[in-house]
Amino acid sequence: IIEKILGKWIGRFFSIVLLISFTIVLAAILRQYAEFISGSILPKTPVSVIILFILAIAIYPTFHGIGVVGRLAEIFGPLLILGIIVPSLLGISNLNLHYLLPLFYDSGILNIVSGSFAPAGFLTDCVLVVWIYNLSEDHIKKKKYLMMSILISGVLYLFTVIFIIATFGVTIASSQLYPFLMLERYISILGIIQNLDSIVITVWILSIFLKICLYLFVTSYGFSRYTQKKSRRRFIFYIASIVYILSLIPRNVVEVSILFPAKVGIPYLLPLWAGLPLLLVIVSYMKGKINNHSIK
């Protein structure tokens, strides 16, 4: 699509940049996953071992195609949504809505918008869904499901952020690396229902696993199409080897979770992932106008 709209050479340049960005973010996701697992349940296990095993497991469904990854998402999806909503609802008694106020008085709208750039750099990876959407034979009929999937993800993200801030306040919530995990640990109902952080860890593992599979499929499929090689499966092992090495470059969780979004996500990923689709829409629209004018 990029080559058809922007031309062969410009299109191929943007295509390879896009594929490289997916590869780099996949490595960052793997490292974040390993740091989370190491910090929560496997503190004495090297992150290199954790990354190796999750990659080895993710290769299997990716090797067999997007259909298998889709079936896994179909099975895990409802469990993931329940794993986010139900534990959060159990903590309603801990909410203090006054923590949500004031909305703009302390920092102002510009500081709030600038603070949203770092997470937006990762959330704009919904462009991956568009990639999968175009692989579907009846993708025109599936348009509403595409929009619903992005909408539900955004609503759940907003839902968890509101609950976290309303429970701890901005100061405490912003000082935590995994505030949602802290939220579930804080829940205690009559001393019976507590220690729900195990649910959060399970949800995190399942969701990250699906995301790794999706990234691995898109990068392997994309590079095979870009190089005009028929063997997509061979590229899975190439990409897995590259991202494994890249994931070991950050020295700690601060570099991958704080410095990476600030130094790479905001200046590079966000303009590319948000700007490129917008550029394609504008150029396509202008070409359509020129062609219609020529016909007339």
Side-chain angles (χ1 to χ4, degrees):
I1 294 176
I2 298 175
E3 290 184 23
K4 287 182 180 179
I5 295 177
L6 300 180
K8 180 179 180 180
W9 297 111
I10 298 178
R12 288 186 68 81
F13 169 76
F14 277 110
S15 296
I16 192 64
V17 171
L18 194 63
L19 288 170
I20 291 173
S21 70
F22 289 154
T23 306
I24 293 173
V25 172
L26 174 55
I29 293 173
L30 282 167
R31 183 56 183 266
Q32 283 183 324
Y33 166 84
E35 292 288 353
F36 176 79
I37 296 300
S38 177
S40 57
I41 57 177
L42 298 174
K44 295 184 179 181
T45 304
V47 293
S48 57
V49 176
I50 298 175
I51 295 172
L52 181 63
F53 274 92
I54 188 63
L55 261 181
I57 298 172
I59 284 174
Y60 180 79
T62 310
F63 188 82
H64 289 280
I66 191 62
V68 176
V69 179
R71 291 300 181 188
L72 286 174
E74 197 172 23
I75 296 171
F76 294 154
L79 299 177
L80 296 177
I81 295 175
L82 290 176
I84 295 173
I85 295 178
V86 174
S88 300
L89 293 178
L90 293 176
I92 286 182
S93 59
N94 298 324
L95 298 183
N96 185 348
L97 297 182
H98 291 290
Y99 286 154
L100 298 174
L101 300 174
L103 294 178
F104 304 111
Y105 180 79
D106 286 346
S107 54
I109 185 64
L110 292 179
N111 287 332
I112 293 175
V113 172
S114 63
S116 67
F117 285 156
F122 280 99
L123 293 176
T124 44
D125 63 1
C126 60
V127 70
L128 287 173
V129 182
V130 181
W131 193 307
I132 303 301
Y133 164 77
N134 282 320
L135 293 178
S136 174
E137 293 180 356
D138 55 346
H139 59 273
I140 296 178
K141 297 180 181 179
K142 302 289 181 66
K143 187 175 182 179
K144 65 177 181 179
Y145 299 111
L146 169 69
M147 305 306 295
M148 285 175 58
S149 65
I150 298 174
L151 176 63
I152 291 174
S153 299
V155 170
L156 284 177
Y157 188 82
L158 178 63
F159 173 80
T160 55
V161 169
I162 291 175
F163 265 65
I164 290 168
I165 296 177
T167 302
F168 302 113
V170 175
T171 303
I172 298 177
S174 61
S175 64
Q176 298 296 316
L177 193 58
Y178 306 113
F180 190 69
L181 181 63
M182 181 182 173
L183 174 69
E184 304 309 322
R185 286 176 174 171
Y186 192 67
I187 295 174
S188 179
I189 301 177
L190 302 176
I192 300 174
I193 301 177
Q194 54 187 0
N195 297 327
L196 299 180
D197 50 304
S198 58
I199 298 178
V200 178
I201 293 173
T202 303
V203 168
W204 181 283
I205 292 173
L206 291 178
S207 59
I208 288 296
F209 174 72
L210 290 173
K211 195 166 187 175
I212 290 171
C213 291
L214 182 59
Y215 265 93
L216 199 56
F217 174 81
V218 167
T219 50
S220 61
Y221 181 83
F223 275 109
S224 66
R225 290 290 300 272
Y226 187 84
T227 57
Q228 297 180 351
K229 303 291 184 181
K230 295 182 179 180
S231 180
R232 174 191 64 85
R233 295 178 174 180
R234 186 181 302 173
F235 276 91
I236 294 176
F237 297 99
Y238 297 157
I239 299 299
S241 301
I242 293 172
V243 296
Y244 178 76
I245 296 172
L246 291 177
S247 64
L248 299 178
I249 293 178
R251 291 173 293 182
N252 50 51
V253 66
V254 175
E255 289 191 358
V256 71
S257 297
I258 298 178
L259 294 182
F260 181 81
K263 302 296 184 180
V264 179
I266 295 176
Y268 301 107
L269 295 181
L270 186 58
L272 176 64
W273 290 358
L276 182 57
L278 182 61
L279 174 64
L280 294 176
V281 170
I282 294 174
V283 174
S284 179
Y285 176 78
M286 292 177 63
K287 282 187 173 181
K289 283 287 187 179
I290 293 173
N291 291 335
N292 291 336
H293 180 74
S294 300
I295 294 174
K296 292 178 182 180

